[in-house]
Amino acid sequence: PAASPLVLEFPCEGSGATVYVGCDGLPCPERPGNGGCRVWNYASPEAAVAECIGLSRGMTAKHAAYNTGFAGAKLVVDASEAAGGADGLDKTALMATVAGALEGLGGGVYTGCDLNTDDADMAELSAQTPYVLAGLGSRVDTNVATGHGVFGALQGAFAARGSGVRGKRFFVHGSGKVGSTVARLLARAGGEVLTFDAVPAAADVPGCRNVSSVGAEGWPALAAGCDVLVPCSISGLLDEALVEALVARGTDGEGHPPSGDESCRRDRLSLILGAANLPFSDEGALEALLACGGVDFVPESVSSAGAVLVDSIECFDNEGYRSRHPEVIYAYVRHLTFQKTAAVLRSAGGNPRKVASRVGAFSAEAAHDPPAGEGFSAWAEANTELCDFLVVGGGV
């Protein structure tokens, strides 16, 4: 095909939903595409296809950053025409359609959990096709692994600045499995963590301050007064107007808009670290952030790769994956994202505009390395004392 990614369309008979499979290149069993299956109510088929393309490209960047052994792919289900939408979709019929699509691609694409799909869906899918990587039959949770990877990246970002997360203020937007894991780990590491979710009760994370009551209109003022914004919710959260609101003015430190007293103004936001896929609505929003200067952005290809790293371990070191405690696997994910994030930011030399090019350079170098998952058991053997401590102590 002339265009890449290639998007294939599979109607889900009887439900009104449509499955789109995005492959960043032709599906190839020798280096299969790998990306989760998300279900959403899109404004139009064109919007669903556009997100499928963007997410497929994003998955390519994730896999390349660590050389997981996979190529980029994504499954997007547009449930807007289904009875009940995403919340009421007949998942049995949907998984049958997805299984047919994956079987037809002959091992060229693998999938797993994403937005509005869970382990139960993947169990049903795996009964119909082998092309599923979702940690089934193990104690590893790929969403929790993603959260650990984001935490490792945050540690790496501050290590590149010669400091740590202790005493820093973080705003975690979205408190699902990924966001709540990030928030919990940050709080346990001594960070001050503000949590927010559209479902307020979800943001009740031990050691954190739930600020969901401020609503969609109020949270940007709170985030502007933090050191770091960690978007863990929907794609396209950050548009140009929101970016300008985040970086133009700080708060008085308690989330109140700045008063006329200049001593109350605190322009503290210095880092946005990608956790959700496609956190910016478009290139213009990212450019608005970079144009302001002084705010680093760590792309999700580096920081939100926990799930694909776990997939790489499951595929290329299955014995280690099955035999090791989940906390050891999560620790390896943190190790990789810490190292990569710190190296990228140090290489960028404090210039936010250089981060993307440095990610590309490191990805090109990683292409010559063995798949990341192959190194898991060797790393665990070299860090036996740490691994034993994590297992006995219940993790980080």
Side-chain angles (χ1 to χ4, degrees):
S4 181
L6 170 69
V7 178
L8 306 174
E9 179 180 341
F10 299 86
C12 182
E13 298 296 335
S15 75
T18 302
V19 178
Y20 296 100
V21 180
C23 314
D24 200 8
L26 288 174
C28 174
E30 289 71 31
R31 193 178 181 87
N34 180 14
C37 176
R38 70 168 45 189
V39 178
W40 195 246
N41 299 320
Y42 290 92
S44 66
E46 292 77 14
V49 170
E51 181 150 292
C52 188
I53 290 172
L55 291 170
S56 298
R57 288 175 174 156
M59 293 305 297
T60 293
K62 284 188 184 184
H63 290 299
Y66 294 92
N67 188 20
T68 63
F70 294 97
K74 201 73 175 183
L75 276 66
V76 165
V77 179
D78 181 8
S80 59
E81 296 300 318
D87 293 332
L89 187 62
D90 180 351
K91 291 289 191 70
T92 298
L94 173 61
M95 291 303 131
T97 301
V98 172
L102 296 177
E103 286 290 305
L105 292 170
V109 173
Y110 284 72
T111 196
C113 295
D114 202 282
L115 189 66
N116 289 322
T117 55
D118 56 23
D119 287 348
D121 299 321
M122 293 303 111
E124 186 165 353
L125 181 61
S126 66
Q128 303 173 66
T129 178
Y131 306 122
V132 180
L133 287 169
L136 298 175
S138 80
R139 292 174 292 169
V140 175
D141 187 315
T142 53
N143 288 311
V144 172
T146 298
H148 277 268
V150 172
F151 176 67
L154 286 164
Q155 290 181 306
F158 280 102
R161 298 175 173 186
S163 63
V165 301
R166 181 172 295 278
K168 305 300 189 303
R169 179 180 287 182
F170 301 86
F171 193 100
V172 178
H173 188 285
S175 301
K177 272 194 177 180
V178 174
S180 60
T181 299
V182 176
R184 175 177 57 84
L185 293 173
L186 286 170
R188 291 177 67 175
E192 180 186 350
V193 186
L194 279 60
T195 53
F196 177 92
D197 198 275
V199 180
D204 287 333
V205 180
C208 305
R209 180 155 64 102
N210 185 346
V211 297
S212 302
S213 60
V214 300
E217 298 298 322
W219 77 260
L222 284 169
C226 292
D227 298 287
V228 184
L229 169 63
V230 189
C232 299
S233 53
I234 59 173
S235 297
L237 172 70
L238 306 175
D239 58 22
E240 288 190 51
L242 183 51
V243 167
E244 291 175 5
L246 288 169
V247 301
R249 290 168 38 171
T251 71
D252 64 359
E254 295 298 327
H256 305 298
S259 67
D261 182 357
E262 289 299 315
S263 66
C264 290
R265 302 187 66 148
R266 302 172 74 181
D267 298 323
R268 295 187 58 191
L269 189 69
S270 63
L271 173 66
I272 296 178
L273 189 133
N277 291 315
L278 302 180
F280 291 93
S281 61
D282 52 35
E283 288 296 323
L286 175 57
E287 175 57 30
L289 177 72
L290 298 177
C292 78
V295 181
D296 284 319
F297 170 62
V298 177
E300 65 274 22
S301 60
V302 172
S303 57
S304 184
V308 299
L309 289 170
V310 167
D311 288 348
S312 187
I313 299 169
E314 183 179 3
C315 185
F316 295 101
D317 184 6
N318 193 260
E319 182 179 350
Y321 176 82
R322 296 292 172 184
S323 63
R324 291 284 184 175
H325 194 282
E327 291 297 341
V328 177
I329 293 175
Y330 299 152
Y332 182 59
V333 168
R334 292 196 305 274
H335 162 73
L336 292 177
T337 58
F338 175 98
Q339 296 289 344
K340 184 74 69 173
T341 304
V344 165
L345 290 184
R346 285 169 180 153
S347 180
N351 185 341
R353 288 191 176 277
K354 290 186 177 180
V355 171
S357 64
R358 299 315 302 155
V359 171
F362 280 108
S363 297
E365 293 176 10
H368 303 288
D369 298 332
E374 280 189 14
F376 168 62
S377 286
W379 176 87
E381 290 296 328
N383 293 275
T384 301
E385 290 186 11
L386 169 64
C387 294
D388 290 344
F389 172 80
L390 290 172
V391 173
V392 173
V396 177

